[in-house]
């Protein structure tokens, strides 16, 4: 493989003007990263069994809390979802979803509010499919944790995310938020 | 709303899509021994039915097609040359 070498003088803390690499290199890097992450996830599952989900969930949750700190606090669920989708970006494109016979997107049940989220684009799903791993495994829990952590931080509530269904083109999750603080 | 088209010639009437769809979009037409769409308005375009159907008998029109960055273009290019 031919490689274009970049040469120059370099000082500590300096960002080089040219970092090299074109779009094809990034694509290759993405594939390598996907393979790495995929095999790490399956190894983790092999070693710690179902405990892997809990470990990854906690890691995701911590990341979510950190990300949530950068967001504006709100007690409006729809606004929180909108902010979250901005933070998650196009790689985790989701929308609220409801069955046709349900009136609004949210259901109130005692001190809980329930909303269904349809994840259409998801890098985790792509990574799993790239590595031939099934969905709903530890890597999915990273995203669940992230979502829950971010929602908890933004709304100062306790949250829970359950998987309803996973598919090759979209996954449906139920987000339950418990009012009354942490 | 998602438009779902079933190719009745291709459908072998196995009922896998009926069992697998989480939103009960399909039902079996016992007379024809083919699947039929009864609740397209509840389809969320997850495409699980595409994955399970042994004869690729369904088509979902005008849906959000998820990004598939995992498809290795180099491998696909090689395959395209062979096939
Ligand atoms: S795409 Fe999903 S929701 Fe729609 S018909 Fe197929 S399995 Fe059901
Ligand atoms: S899974 Fe495919 S072949 Fe089986 S009933 Fe459904 S459409 Fe027909």
């Amino acid at each position: 493989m031919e490689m274009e070498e970049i040469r120059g003088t370099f000082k500590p803390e300096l960002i080089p003007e040219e970092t090299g690499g074109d779009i094809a290199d990034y694509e290759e890097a993405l594939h390598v990263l996907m393979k790495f992450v995929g095999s790490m996830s399956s190894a983790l599952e092999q070693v710690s069994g179902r405990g892997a989900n809990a470990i990854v969930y906690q890691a995701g949750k911590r990341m979510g809390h950190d990300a949530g700190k950068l967001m504006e606090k709100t007690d409006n669920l729809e606004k929180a979802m909108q902010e979250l989708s901005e933070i998650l970006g196009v790689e985790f494109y989701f929308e609220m979803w409801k069955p046709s016979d349900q009136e609004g997107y949210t259901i109130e049940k005692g001190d809980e509010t329930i909303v269904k989220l349809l994840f259409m684009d998801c890098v985790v799903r792509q990574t799993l499919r790239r590595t031939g791993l099934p969905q709903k495994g530890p890597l999915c829990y990273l995203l669940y944790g992230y979502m829950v952590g971010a929602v908890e931080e933004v709304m100062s509530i306790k949250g829970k995310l359950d998987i309803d269904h996973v598919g090759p083109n979209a996954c449906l999750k139920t987000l339950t938020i418990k009012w009354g603080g942490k | 709303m998602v438009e779902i088209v079933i190719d009745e010639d291709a459908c072998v009437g196995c009922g896998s899509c009926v069992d697998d769809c989480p939103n009960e979009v399909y039902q079996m037409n016992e007379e024809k021994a083919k699947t039929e769409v009864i609740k397209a308005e509840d389809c969320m375009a997850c495409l699980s039915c595409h994955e399970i159907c042994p004869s690729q008998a369904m088509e979902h029109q005008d849906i959000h097609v998820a990004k598939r960055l995992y498809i290795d273009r180099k491998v696909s290019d090689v395959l395209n040359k062979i096939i």
Side-chain angles (χ1 to χ4, degrees):
Chain A
M1 193 177 65
E2 229 176 272
M3 209 183 77
E4 192 199 338
E5 189 193 16
I6 297 167
R7 297 186 69 83
T9 310
F10 206 80
K11 291 178 188 160
E13 302 297 316
L14 201 73
I15 297 170
E17 270 171 31
E18 250 195 291
T19 50
D22 60 18
I23 195 72
D25 297 326
Y26 286 105
E27 189 184 337
E28 201 157 317
L30 174 71
H31 279 286
V32 172
L33 206 61
M34 278 179 165
K35 279 199 239 172
F36 267 35
V37 174
S39 41
M40 202 172 74
S41 156
S42 76
L44 190 65
E45 207 173 10
Q46 234 169 23
V47 174
S48 21
R50 295 189 68 183
N53 292 353
I55 298 168
V56 179
Y57 180 80
Q58 280 310 324
K61 204 164 158 185
R62 214 171 39 205
M63 274 161 58
H65 273 286
D66 288 346
K69 289 198 175 86
L70 307 172
M71 291 153 68
E72 206 183 309
K73 300 258 182 225
T74 178
D75 56 5
N76 180 319
L77 183 60
E78 290 199 21
K79 191 164 175 264
M81 289 300 104
Q82 204 184 333
E83 279 195 52
L84 246 176
S85 97
E86 274 163 32
I87 284 241
L88 286 172
V90 289
E91 294 313 336
F92 292 103
Y93 174 54
F94 73 92
E95 279 179 3
M96 289 191 278
W97 186 86
K98 66 177 187 65
S100 56
D101 57 2
Q102 187 182 304
E103 239 170 61
Y105 285 108
T106 53
I107 298 175
E108 307 295 334
K109 238 192 212 171
D111 62 347
E112 288 181 350
T113 301
I114 298 161
V115 63
K116 288 201 183 289
L117 304 174
L118 185 65
F119 280 81
M120 292 178 263
D121 284 309
C122 175
V123 179
V124 169
R125 190 191 312 131
Q126 297 186 45
T127 302
L128 293 171
R129 295 182 81 82
R130 172 69 177 84
T131 354
L133 290 169
Q135 286 166 259
K136 271 196 200 179
L139 264 195
C140 290
Y141 279 81
L142 190 70
L143 178 62
Y144 304 153
Y146 189 90
M147 283 293 289
V148 171
V151 174
E152 283 188 349
E153 192 64 41
V154 170
M155 300 185 76
S156 303
I157 43 96
K158 263 250 169 273
K160 180 167 82 106
L161 197 68
D162 294 302
I163 320 160
D164 293 356
H165 183 78
V166 294
N169 201 56
C171 303
L172 189 67
K173 284 150 201 179
T174 298
L175 175 67
T176 307
I177 59 172
K178 207 169 167 62
W179 298 103
K182 293 184 216 180
Chain B
M1 190 176 75
V2 177
E3 277 278 331
I4 308 169
V5 180
I6 303 288
D7 178 347
E8 286 200 1
D9 293 331
C11 174
V12 293
C14 65
S16 301
C17 55
V18 182
D19 295 339
D20 194 54
C21 173
N23 297 341
E24 291 165 7
V25 169
Y26 303 108
Q27 86 175 3
M28 275 310 280
N29 180 322
E30 300 298 342
E31 227 169 85
K32 289 189 188 167
K34 306 274 175 193
T35 193
E36 61 186 13
V37 178
I38 52 161
K39 239 165 62 177
E41 62 274 25
D42 275 357
C43 175
M44 55 189 181
C46 67
L47 300 191
S48 291
C49 50
H50 284 224
E51 223 163 37
I52 207 151
C53 175
S55 45
Q56 300 176 344
M58 65 273 286
E59 184 182 284
H60 284 61
Q61 293 172 352
D62 198 25
I63 59 163
H64 173 94
V65 177
K67 284 199 202 92
R68 282 161 170 79
L69 300 176
Y70 58 83
I71 292 175
D72 197 321
R73 283 224 304 256
K74 262 188 237 149
V75 175
S76 305
D77 284 349
V78 173
L79 284 177
N80 281 342
K81 273 178 206 150
I82 304 169
I83 301 168

